[in-house]
Amino acid sequence: MHEAYEVTHLLNASVQIETIAAYDGNLLLGTRQGHLLMYSLLMNKDTQKYELKMIRYCKNFSKKPIQQIEVIAEDRLLLCLTDNVLSSYDMNGLNFPLVKTFSDTKGASLFALDNKSATSMTGESNTIVHLCVAVRRKLQLYYGKNGEFKKHIFDFTIPDVPKVMALGQQYLCVGFKGEYTFFDLSSHNSTDLFPPSSSKSLDPTIAKYSETSFLLGRDNTSVLVEEAKKKSSEIKKTVKRIDDPTISKYSESSFLLGRDNTSGEVEDAKQETVEIKKTIKWTDAPLAVVWDEPFILGLLQDTVVVQTVEPPLFIQTFVELNKARLMYRCKRGLIFVSSVGQVWCLTSVDITKQRKQLLKDKHFQIAIDLMKLSDSSPEEKKQTIDSIQMLHALDLFDSKQYSQSMKEFIKLKTDPAEVIKLIPELDNKFEGKENVLKGKDLENALNALIEYLVELRFQIGTNTEGSSKSESNQRNVAQQLELIDTTLLKCYLQTNDAFVAPLLRLNNCRLEEAEKTLHQHGKHSELIILYQTKGQHTKALQLLREQASQPDSSLKGYHRTKNYLQHLGAEHLNLIFKFSDWILKEHPEEGLKIFTEDIVEVENLPRPKVLDFLLREHDTLVIPYLEHVIHTWNDTHDLFHDALINMYREKITDKKANCTEEELQHIKSKLVAFLEKSSHYTPERVILHFPNDTLFEERAVILGKLGRHEQALAIYVQILGDVDRAIRYCDNVWTRNDKTVDVYVTLMRILVNPEQNNSLTGPLATVPRHPKASTPDLETALSILEKHADKISPIKALSVLPDSVPLARLSSFLESALQTQLTMKRRTQVLKGLLYAEHTQVQEMKQFHESKSIVINDYNVCPVCKKRFGNQSAFVRYPSGDIVHYSCKLDK
């Protein structure tokens, strides 16, 4: 059994002890005869036992029994309740001379004291004393400082005479015969708790546990209650409203507050005064209870029992304390116990000795609490407590309390490598090792370890966020994250593999170890994520290629490979070419999306290199690729426009191509439309590759781009025999605002004099002419002349027509031409008049400004540089009249 205290019999008194108090190793006894005795507790060096040495004995202290005594050691004051009056006495005087009698306390039965040390603004240390005195059915409150007491203006009215009291931080706890009550020292409200006994036959007991908590006796238990934290008001409901903001009382605890278009019912939140935290059981109802951290001592019939609150453990029992009825804590580890005629003391056993026994009994928390109270240096305390906590954590793990164990490791900031070693199953070479976990134990341990590692990871991230660390620290953090995430990977694979993929994307796992683990579990999809985050793209793509043909694989098919390649980017272009090859062969249309998808990485690939790759390896996909580049991405580079024209041409002229007539006509129409629409190809380069014996319409379009309109029109008329197409050609040239070219006159000349046209030279001269082109077509020429009279020069038109054309036939054209010329003449005259008027206006403005003079003398100063104008100064005059140096005009 653990021994926390040793008991020593100190005194057989010749007087009847009524009350006791103690401070600094001194004991005061108040007797029924009114005597006051003061002893000092000493250690006998010979017997190694404690003894009492009397230092004062005041026989005439009071004529009445001494009911209660307390000491304010810092102020050297003794408070004594005798003859139902409270008085203060000087501890320094020989016979405790009277200092003050609290005149308002006549009829007092009990008082409670609370001392607090405080430091003033000047740095002076003072003792603040709060005093409560029970006078009949009133509770009087006093405030004391430097030995002086002032009564509070407010008194509590109580229903009965109290049996016991204790002062806390905010509340005064009072025990009556029938119940316990909490009095709020600030709001003056009271709250009834519970009776000290179900039969109301037991007296109440109160022991102060902390500034905000008390141990209250109830039957055979002590109930630990704590002052509850205050809660704010809460909104219960809102009602729509349209009038101005208002405040209305709704009930004694709620109000209606107007806000915007609503009224909200606001009610005081229900406030619990205390919270019950713990219940400590005794074998019998205790007469008195004291808290001597970390132990709670209960004085039962002739017995003192020692227990702990957290964890709740029975520690020790002291028997044969005959008729003991009083117990008083002097200081940590020293408690006095008294009967009417005897006195004992309980002294703490050496903490080192206690700690050894506690660790042997695996009572780690008590050992830690005791170590905190020891006189060791802070460094020694921390070192010892850390070692105890480590033993505690390991014991919790061995006891299969894995979650609690991990929480202790977090507090200790234990090296995660040491924690991970506790679960040998996470080591790939754990076969044959001892303490192997299985089944539910393994699952619980892994889940607890996951919580530990996640929390540790969060702490590392919080500590490093926004802080500048040295290179060595950053390396250490990176190594820790590697260990944590690699272990988490192993844990998730055995518990919940849904977390594996998100973990791998954090890119902290050790590559080789994670790769091996994922292979063992057949996690191919997760392997791809690992390779991708680690930049091992070749390994990833090889695995994707291998798994693509496996019917049961999660990576079956080409989709994952396609998606992977699309996000690699230009820096891995050769890798993209290498591993896209099999998709382009097996699934050409989908494979082409590797180079055409609307993804940033795909759009930023070097297009000339992609074009070269497709030309070399997959020429059938060149046309759709170029069409996407030009029509979807709107690329204007002449390389792609020239290449698309050449690919269309080759497709049409390639006799080996297995194309139907319909397909060829479709390609031809696309070629002609592209030649007409695009302005980004180089016609002089493209035309060199066109054959001379076919594709005449396409050649005509290119010639038009080169400005060789006569040749283009000759092809339309003389080779293709398509006069309508030739007329549309002229219309297009005119629409493009190329009005300096007499294309209509050129067309008329070709129609009227086909034999004299020599524009088709070279290889085109030998091309057979269309039958319609062998004879002059005067009617068509005249029709063009009439329809487009406003676009044709009359002189040039008449020069190409034969003299045999009747003048009446030309009357419509000539009238239109003359009207056009007259309109132009009138427009020119109007424009001339406007220009002359503008010129005259400018001249007048010039004369006006030149007529103004400026006088500059020695007193004129430049407003910018504040200097005078010299004889040689160049200056500028602004419309506002300001004059500045020429060099200052920019600053102005």
Side-chain angles (χ1 to χ4, degrees), residues 163-164 173-182 193-208 214-225 278-282 284-290 296-299:
K163 295 289 186 179
V164 64
C173 183
V174 180
F176 299 101
K177 184 70 176 177
E179 64 185 350
Y180 292 99
T181 303
F182 263 39
L193 301 181
F194 48 79
S197 171
S198 55
S199 62
K200 297 186 179 182
S201 60
L202 297 175
D203 286 340
T205 60
I206 300 177
K208 192 170 179 180
F214 304 89
L215 288 161
L216 309 182
R218 185 179 189 185
D219 293 328
N220 293 352
T221 64
S222 288
V223 181
L224 177 60
V225 296
K278 205 82 174 173
T279 300
I280 297 93
K281 294 182 179 180
W282 307 97
D284 197 359
L287 303 174
V289 174
V290 297
I296 178 174
L297 292 84
L299 176 59

Short mmCIF file of all heavy atoms in Angstrom, two decimals, residues 163-164 173-182 193-208 214-225 278-282 284-290 296-299:
data_model
loop_
_atom_site.label_atom_id
_atom_site.label_comp_id
_atom_site.label_asym_id
_atom_site.label_seq_id
_atom_site.Cartn_x
_atom_site.Cartn_y
_atom_site.Cartn_z
N LYS A 163 -23.93 26.46 9.50
CA LYS A 163 -23.06 25.54 10.22
C LYS A 163 -21.61 25.63 9.78
O LYS A 163 -20.69 25.39 10.55
CB LYS A 163 -23.56 24.10 10.01
CG LYS A 163 -24.92 23.81 10.60
CD LYS A 163 -24.86 23.77 12.12
CE LYS A 163 -26.20 23.34 12.71
NZ LYS A 163 -26.15 23.29 14.19
N VAL A 164 -21.41 25.96 8.48
CA VAL A 164 -20.07 26.01 7.92
C VAL A 164 -20.09 26.95 6.72
O VAL A 164 -21.12 27.10 6.05
CB VAL A 164 -19.60 24.59 7.51
CG1 VAL A 164 -20.47 24.02 6.41
CG2 VAL A 164 -18.13 24.59 7.10
N CYS A 173 -19.92 29.98 -0.29
CA CYS A 173 -20.63 28.71 -0.12
C CYS A 173 -20.97 28.55 1.37
O CYS A 173 -20.09 28.61 2.23
CB CYS A 173 -19.76 27.55 -0.59
SG CYS A 173 -20.59 25.96 -0.49
N VAL A 174 -22.26 28.34 1.64
CA VAL A 174 -22.74 28.25 3.03
C VAL A 174 -23.48 26.93 3.20
O VAL A 174 -24.31 26.55 2.38
CB VAL A 174 -23.68 29.43 3.36
CG1 VAL A 174 -24.16 29.33 4.80
CG2 VAL A 174 -22.98 30.76 3.13
N GLY A 175 -23.14 26.24 4.30
CA GLY A 175 -23.82 24.99 4.63
C GLY A 175 -24.74 25.17 5.81
O GLY A 175 -24.30 25.52 6.90
N PHE A 176 -26.02 24.95 5.59
CA PHE A 176 -27.01 24.99 6.66
C PHE A 176 -27.32 23.56 7.10
O PHE A 176 -26.82 22.59 6.51
CB PHE A 176 -28.29 25.68 6.17
CG PHE A 176 -28.10 27.11 5.75
CD1 PHE A 176 -28.00 27.43 4.40
CD2 PHE A 176 -28.00 28.13 6.69
CE1 PHE A 176 -27.82 28.73 3.99
CE2 PHE A 176 -27.82 29.44 6.29
CZ PHE A 176 -27.73 29.75 4.95
N LYS A 177 -28.14 23.45 8.07
CA LYS A 177 -28.54 22.12 8.54
C LYS A 177 -29.28 21.36 7.45
O LYS A 177 -29.10 20.15 7.31
CB LYS A 177 -29.46 22.29 9.78
CG LYS A 177 -29.86 20.98 10.43
CD LYS A 177 -28.68 20.33 11.12
CE LYS A 177 -29.11 19.06 11.87
NZ LYS A 177 -27.97 18.37 12.48
N GLY A 178 -30.05 22.11 6.67
CA GLY A 178 -30.90 21.42 5.68
C GLY A 178 -30.39 21.46 4.26
O GLY A 178 -30.85 20.68 3.42
N GLU A 179 -29.45 22.38 3.91
CA GLU A 179 -29.01 22.47 2.51
C GLU A 179 -27.76 23.34 2.39
O GLU A 179 -27.36 24.02 3.33
CB GLU A 179 -30.13 23.07 1.65
CG GLU A 179 -30.47 24.50 2.02
CD GLU A 179 -31.65 25.03 1.24
OE1 GLU A 179 -32.08 24.36 0.30
OE2 GLU A 179 -32.14 26.12 1.59
N TYR A 180 -27.18 23.27 1.17
CA TYR A 180 -26.08 24.14 0.83
C TYR A 180 -26.61 25.26 -0.08
O TYR A 180 -27.49 25.03 -0.92
CB TYR A 180 -24.99 23.40 0.06
CG TYR A 180 -24.25 22.37 0.88
CD1 TYR A 180 -24.58 21.01 0.80
CD2 TYR A 180 -23.22 22.75 1.74
CE1 TYR A 180 -23.91 20.06 1.55
CE2 TYR A 180 -22.54 21.80 2.49
CZ TYR A 180 -22.89 20.46 2.40
OH TYR A 180 -22.21 19.54 3.13
N THR A 181 -26.07 26.48 0.10
CA THR A 181 -26.49 27.62 -0.72
C THR A 181 -25.25 28.36 -1.21
O THR A 181 -24.29 28.55 -0.45
CB THR A 181 -27.39 28.57 0.08
OG1 THR A 181 -28.52 27.86 0.56
CG2 THR A 181 -27.85 29.73 -0.80
N PHE A 182 -25.31 28.77 -2.50
CA PHE A 182 -24.25 29.60 -3.08
C PHE A 182 -24.75 31.04 -3.16
O PHE A 182 -25.82 31.30 -3.72
CB PHE A 182 -23.90 29.10 -4.50
CG PHE A 182 -22.70 28.20 -4.53
CD1 PHE A 182 -22.50 27.27 -3.54
CD2 PHE A 182 -21.76 28.29 -5.55
CE1 PHE A 182 -21.41 26.43 -3.55
CE2 PHE A 182 -20.66 27.46 -5.57
CZ PHE A 182 -20.48 26.52 -4.58
N LEU A 193 -28.55 24.50 -3.43
CA LEU A 193 -28.00 23.32 -4.10
C LEU A 193 -28.72 22.06 -3.63
O LEU A 193 -29.82 21.77 -4.05
CB LEU A 193 -26.49 23.23 -3.84
CG LEU A 193 -25.66 24.43 -4.31
CD1 LEU A 193 -24.20 24.22 -4.03
CD2 LEU A 193 -25.91 24.70 -5.78
N PHE A 194 -28.16 21.34 -2.70
CA PHE A 194 -28.74 20.08 -2.25
C PHE A 194 -28.51 19.96 -0.75
O PHE A 194 -27.62 20.61 -0.18
CB PHE A 194 -28.13 18.89 -2.98
CG PHE A 194 -26.63 18.92 -3.03
CD1 PHE A 194 -25.86 18.54 -1.93
CD2 PHE A 194 -25.98 19.34 -4.18
CE1 PHE A 194 -24.49 18.57 -1.98
CE2 PHE A 194 -24.60 19.38 -4.23
CZ PHE A 194 -23.84 18.99 -3.15
N PRO A 195 -29.26 19.13 -0.06
CA PRO A 195 -29.08 18.96 1.39
C PRO A 195 -27.84 18.12 1.68
O PRO A 195 -27.43 17.29 0.87
CB PRO A 195 -30.36 18.25 1.82
CG PRO A 195 -30.81 17.52 0.59
CD PRO A 195 -30.43 18.37 -0.56
N PRO A 196 -27.23 18.33 2.84
CA PRO A 196 -26.06 17.53 3.20
C PRO A 196 -26.39 16.08 3.51
O PRO A 196 -25.50 15.24 3.56
CB PRO A 196 -25.50 18.25 4.43
CG PRO A 196 -26.66 18.98 5.01
CD PRO A 196 -27.53 19.36 3.86
N SER A 197 -27.67 15.80 3.70
CA SER A 197 -28.05 14.42 4.01
C SER A 197 -29.49 14.22 3.57
O SER A 197 -30.32 15.12 3.67
CB SER A 197 -27.92 14.14 5.51
OG SER A 197 -28.48 12.88 5.83
N SER A 198 -29.76 13.03 3.06
CA SER A 198 -31.13 12.74 2.64
C SER A 198 -32.08 12.74 3.82
O SER A 198 -33.27 13.04 3.70
CB SER A 198 -31.17 11.38 1.94
OG SER A 198 -30.62 10.38 2.79
N SER A 199 -31.54 12.44 5.01
CA SER A 199 -32.38 12.44 6.22
C SER A 199 -32.24 13.73 7.01
O SER A 199 -32.90 13.90 8.03
CB SER A 199 -31.99 11.26 7.11
OG SER A 199 -30.65 11.38 7.53
N LYS A 200 -31.37 14.63 6.56
CA LYS A 200 -31.10 15.91 7.21
C LYS A 200 -30.62 15.74 8.65
O LYS A 200 -30.83 16.60 9.50
CB LYS A 200 -32.33 16.82 7.17
CG LYS A 200 -32.77 17.19 5.76
CD LYS A 200 -33.91 18.19 5.77
CE LYS A 200 -34.30 18.56 4.34
NZ LYS A 200 -35.39 19.57 4.30
N SER A 201 -29.97 14.60 8.89
CA SER A 201 -29.48 14.34 10.25
C SER A 201 -28.00 14.64 10.39
O SER A 201 -27.48 14.64 11.50
CB SER A 201 -29.74 12.87 10.63
OG SER A 201 -29.07 12.01 9.73
N LEU A 202 -27.30 14.88 9.27
CA LEU A 202 -25.87 15.11 9.31
C LEU A 202 -25.55 16.59 9.14
O LEU A 202 -26.24 17.31 8.42
CB LEU A 202 -25.17 14.32 8.19
CG LEU A 202 -25.29 12.80 8.24
CD1 LEU A 202 -24.67 12.18 7.01
CD2 LEU A 202 -24.60 12.27 9.50
N ASP A 203 -24.50 17.01 9.83
CA ASP A 203 -24.05 18.39 9.66
C ASP A 203 -23.29 18.52 8.33
O ASP A 203 -22.62 17.58 7.88
CB ASP A 203 -23.12 18.79 10.81
CG ASP A 203 -23.90 19.03 12.10
OD1 ASP A 203 -25.13 19.26 12.00
OD2 ASP A 203 -23.28 18.98 13.17
N PRO A 204 -23.37 19.70 7.71
CA PRO A 204 -22.67 19.89 6.44
C PRO A 204 -21.16 20.03 6.65
O PRO A 204 -20.70 20.42 7.73
CB PRO A 204 -23.27 21.18 5.90
CG PRO A 204 -23.70 21.93 7.11
CD PRO A 204 -24.15 20.90 8.11
N THR A 205 -20.40 19.70 5.62
CA THR A 205 -18.95 19.93 5.61
C THR A 205 -18.58 20.59 4.29
O THR A 205 -19.12 20.25 3.24
CB THR A 205 -18.16 18.62 5.75
OG1 THR A 205 -18.48 17.76 4.65
CG2 THR A 205 -18.47 17.92 7.06
N ILE A 206 -17.67 21.57 4.37
CA ILE A 206 -17.18 22.25 3.16
C ILE A 206 -15.67 22.30 3.22
O ILE A 206 -15.08 22.72 4.23
CB ILE A 206 -17.74 23.69 3.05
CG1 ILE A 206 -19.27 23.68 2.98
CG2 ILE A 206 -17.17 24.39 1.81
CD1 ILE A 206 -19.88 25.07 2.95
N ALA A 207 -15.02 21.87 2.15
CA ALA A 207 -13.57 21.99 2.01
C ALA A 207 -13.28 22.73 0.71
O ALA A 207 -13.83 22.40 -0.33
CB ALA A 207 -12.91 20.61 2.00
N LYS A 208 -12.45 23.75 0.80
CA LYS A 208 -12.12 24.52 -0.39
C LYS A 208 -11.13 23.72 -1.24
O LYS A 208 -10.06 23.31 -0.77
CB LYS A 208 -11.52 25.87 -0.01
CG LYS A 208 -11.42 26.84 -1.17
CD LYS A 208 -11.06 28.23 -0.65
CE LYS A 208 -10.93 29.20 -1.81
NZ LYS A 208 -10.59 30.56 -1.35
N PHE A 214 -15.46 23.63 -4.62
CA PHE A 214 -15.58 23.22 -3.22
C PHE A 214 -15.93 21.74 -3.16
O PHE A 214 -16.55 21.19 -4.08
CB PHE A 214 -16.68 24.01 -2.51
CG PHE A 214 -16.50 25.50 -2.57
CD1 PHE A 214 -17.03 26.24 -3.62
CD2 PHE A 214 -15.80 26.18 -1.58
CE1 PHE A 214 -16.88 27.61 -3.68
CE2 PHE A 214 -15.65 27.56 -1.63
CZ PHE A 214 -16.19 28.28 -2.68
N LEU A 215 -15.58 21.12 -2.03
CA LEU A 215 -15.98 19.75 -1.72
C LEU A 215 -17.07 19.83 -0.66
O LEU A 215 -16.82 20.27 0.47
CB LEU A 215 -14.79 18.94 -1.22
CG LEU A 215 -13.74 18.58 -2.28
CD1 LEU A 215 -12.42 18.21 -1.61
CD2 LEU A 215 -14.24 17.42 -3.14
N LEU A 216 -18.27 19.41 -1.04
CA LEU A 216 -19.42 19.52 -0.15
C LEU A 216 -19.83 18.13 0.33
O LEU A 216 -20.02 17.21 -0.48
CB LEU A 216 -20.60 20.19 -0.87
CG LEU A 216 -20.32 21.53 -1.57
CD1 LEU A 216 -21.60 22.08 -2.18
CD2 LEU A 216 -19.70 22.53 -0.62
N GLY A 217 -20.00 17.98 1.66
CA GLY A 217 -20.39 16.69 2.20
C GLY A 217 -21.85 16.39 1.97
O GLY A 217 -22.73 17.25 2.16
N ARG A 218 -22.12 15.16 1.52
CA ARG A 218 -23.50 14.72 1.32
C ARG A 218 -23.57 13.23 1.64
O ARG A 218 -23.02 12.41 0.90
CB ARG A 218 -23.95 14.97 -0.11
CG ARG A 218 -25.42 14.64 -0.33
CD ARG A 218 -25.85 14.93 -1.74
NE ARG A 218 -27.29 14.81 -1.88
CZ ARG A 218 -27.95 14.92 -3.03
NH1 ARG A 218 -27.27 15.17 -4.13
NH2 ARG A 218 -29.25 14.80 -3.06
N ASP A 219 -24.23 12.90 2.76
CA ASP A 219 -24.27 11.51 3.24
C ASP A 219 -22.85 10.99 3.35
O ASP A 219 -22.01 11.59 3.98
CB ASP A 219 -25.14 10.65 2.31
CG ASP A 219 -26.61 11.07 2.38
OD1 ASP A 219 -27.04 11.51 3.45
OD2 ASP A 219 -27.30 10.97 1.35
N ASN A 220 -22.56 9.85 2.67
CA ASN A 220 -21.24 9.22 2.77
C ASN A 220 -20.34 9.63 1.59
O ASN A 220 -19.47 8.87 1.18
CB ASN A 220 -21.36 7.70 2.81
CG ASN A 220 -22.03 7.24 4.10
OD1 ASN A 220 -22.26 8.03 5.00
ND2 ASN A 220 -22.33 5.95 4.18
N THR A 221 -20.57 10.84 1.04
CA THR A 221 -19.76 11.29 -0.10
C THR A 221 -19.34 12.73 0.08
O THR A 221 -19.90 13.47 0.90
CB THR A 221 -20.55 11.18 -1.43
OG1 THR A 221 -21.66 12.07 -1.38
CG2 THR A 221 -21.03 9.76 -1.68
N SER A 222 -18.35 13.11 -0.69
CA SER A 222 -17.98 14.51 -0.85
C SER A 222 -18.17 14.85 -2.32
O SER A 222 -17.57 14.18 -3.20
CB SER A 222 -16.53 14.77 -0.44
OG SER A 222 -16.39 14.68 0.96
N VAL A 223 -19.00 15.86 -2.60
CA VAL A 223 -19.32 16.23 -3.98
C VAL A 223 -18.47 17.43 -4.38
O VAL A 223 -18.51 18.48 -3.73
CB VAL A 223 -20.82 16.56 -4.12
CG1 VAL A 223 -21.14 16.91 -5.58
CG2 VAL A 223 -21.67 15.39 -3.64
N LEU A 224 -17.70 17.26 -5.47
CA LEU A 224 -16.87 18.35 -5.98
C LEU A 224 -17.71 19.20 -6.92
O LEU A 224 -18.17 18.73 -7.96
CB LEU A 224 -15.65 17.80 -6.72
CG LEU A 224 -14.73 18.85 -7.38
CD1 LEU A 224 -14.18 19.81 -6.34
CD2 LEU A 224 -13.60 18.17 -8.15
N VAL A 225 -17.97 20.46 -6.51
CA VAL A 225 -18.75 21.37 -7.34
C VAL A 225 -17.86 22.55 -7.74
O VAL A 225 -16.98 22.95 -6.98
CB VAL A 225 -20.02 21.88 -6.61
CG1 VAL A 225 -20.96 20.73 -6.32
CG2 VAL A 225 -19.66 22.61 -5.33
N LYS A 278 -17.40 15.84 -9.66
CA LYS A 278 -16.92 14.53 -9.18
C LYS A 278 -17.61 14.21 -7.86
O LYS A 278 -18.04 15.09 -7.12
CB LYS A 278 -15.41 14.61 -8.96
CG LYS A 278 -14.70 13.29 -9.06
CD LYS A 278 -14.42 12.92 -10.51
CE LYS A 278 -13.59 11.66 -10.58
NZ LYS A 278 -13.43 11.19 -11.94
N THR A 279 -17.67 12.93 -7.54
CA THR A 279 -18.19 12.48 -6.25
C THR A 279 -17.19 11.52 -5.63
O THR A 279 -16.78 10.54 -6.27
CB THR A 279 -19.55 11.79 -6.41
OG1 THR A 279 -20.48 12.72 -6.98
CG2 THR A 279 -20.08 11.32 -5.06
N ILE A 280 -16.77 11.81 -4.40
CA ILE A 280 -15.81 10.96 -3.68
C ILE A 280 -16.57 10.22 -2.58
O ILE A 280 -17.27 10.85 -1.76
CB ILE A 280 -14.66 11.82 -3.07
CG1 ILE A 280 -13.89 12.51 -4.19
CG2 ILE A 280 -13.74 10.95 -2.23
CD1 ILE A 280 -14.37 13.89 -4.50
N LYS A 281 -16.43 8.93 -2.57
CA LYS A 281 -17.17 8.11 -1.61
C LYS A 281 -16.32 7.82 -0.38
O LYS A 281 -15.11 7.65 -0.46
CB LYS A 281 -17.59 6.78 -2.26
CG LYS A 281 -18.59 6.96 -3.40
CD LYS A 281 -19.00 5.61 -3.98
CE LYS A 281 -20.03 5.79 -5.10
NZ LYS A 281 -20.43 4.49 -5.68
N TRP A 282 -17.02 7.79 0.79
CA TRP A 282 -16.39 7.42 2.07
C TRP A 282 -17.16 6.22 2.67
O TRP A 282 -18.30 5.95 2.29
CB TRP A 282 -16.44 8.59 3.06
CG TRP A 282 -15.89 9.89 2.51
CD1 TRP A 282 -16.59 10.91 1.97
CD2 TRP A 282 -14.52 10.27 2.46
NE1 TRP A 282 -15.76 11.92 1.59
CE2 TRP A 282 -14.46 11.56 1.89
CE3 TRP A 282 -13.31 9.67 2.86
CZ2 TRP A 282 -13.28 12.25 1.69
CZ3 TRP A 282 -12.12 10.35 2.68
CH2 TRP A 282 -12.11 11.63 2.10
N ASP A 284 -18.09 6.20 5.68
CA ASP A 284 -19.04 6.79 6.62
C ASP A 284 -19.07 8.29 6.35
O ASP A 284 -18.21 8.83 5.64
CB ASP A 284 -18.58 6.50 8.06
CG ASP A 284 -19.72 6.71 9.06
OD1 ASP A 284 -20.82 7.09 8.62
OD2 ASP A 284 -19.48 6.52 10.27
N ALA A 285 -20.04 8.97 6.91
CA ALA A 285 -20.11 10.41 6.70
C ALA A 285 -18.96 11.09 7.42
O ALA A 285 -18.80 10.92 8.65
CB ALA A 285 -21.44 10.94 7.21
N PRO A 286 -18.12 11.87 6.74
CA PRO A 286 -16.96 12.50 7.39
C PRO A 286 -17.38 13.67 8.27
O PRO A 286 -18.34 14.39 7.97
CB PRO A 286 -16.12 12.97 6.20
CG PRO A 286 -17.08 13.13 5.08
CD PRO A 286 -18.16 12.11 5.29
N LEU A 287 -16.63 13.84 9.39
CA LEU A 287 -16.84 14.99 10.27
C LEU A 287 -16.19 16.23 9.70
O LEU A 287 -16.66 17.35 9.93
CB LEU A 287 -16.27 14.70 11.67
CG LEU A 287 -16.83 13.46 12.38
CD1 LEU A 287 -16.08 13.22 13.68
CD2 LEU A 287 -18.32 13.62 12.64
N ALA A 288 -15.08 16.05 9.00
CA ALA A 288 -14.36 17.17 8.37
C ALA A 288 -13.60 16.64 7.17
O ALA A 288 -13.23 15.45 7.12
CB ALA A 288 -13.41 17.82 9.37
N VAL A 289 -13.38 17.53 6.21
CA VAL A 289 -12.66 17.17 5.00
C VAL A 289 -11.67 18.29 4.69
O VAL A 289 -12.00 19.48 4.81
CB VAL A 289 -13.61 16.99 3.80
CG1 VAL A 289 -12.83 16.76 2.52
CG2 VAL A 289 -14.58 15.85 4.05
N VAL A 290 -10.43 17.92 4.32
CA VAL A 290 -9.47 18.92 3.85
C VAL A 290 -8.86 18.44 2.53
O VAL A 290 -8.75 17.24 2.26
CB VAL A 290 -8.35 19.21 4.88
CG1 VAL A 290 -8.91 19.78 6.16
CG2 VAL A 290 -7.53 17.95 5.15
N ILE A 296 -7.15 14.08 -0.81
CA ILE A 296 -8.28 14.55 -0.02
C ILE A 296 -8.35 13.69 1.23
O ILE A 296 -8.29 12.46 1.16
CB ILE A 296 -9.59 14.49 -0.83
CG1 ILE A 296 -10.76 14.95 0.03
CG2 ILE A 296 -9.85 13.12 -1.41
CD1 ILE A 296 -12.07 15.06 -0.74
N LEU A 297 -8.42 14.35 2.39
CA LEU A 297 -8.41 13.65 3.67
C LEU A 297 -9.77 13.82 4.34
O LEU A 297 -10.27 14.95 4.46
CB LEU A 297 -7.32 14.17 4.60
CG LEU A 297 -5.87 13.88 4.18
CD1 LEU A 297 -5.37 14.92 3.19
CD2 LEU A 297 -4.95 13.84 5.41
N GLY A 298 -10.35 12.72 4.76
CA GLY A 298 -11.63 12.74 5.43
C GLY A 298 -11.52 12.24 6.86
O GLY A 298 -10.94 11.17 7.10
N LEU A 299 -12.00 13.04 7.82
CA LEU A 299 -11.98 12.65 9.23
C LEU A 299 -13.29 11.93 9.54
O LEU A 299 -14.36 12.53 9.59
CB LEU A 299 -11.82 13.88 10.11
CG LEU A 299 -11.87 13.65 11.63
CD1 LEU A 299 -10.78 12.67 12.08
CD2 LEU A 299 -11.75 14.99 12.37
#
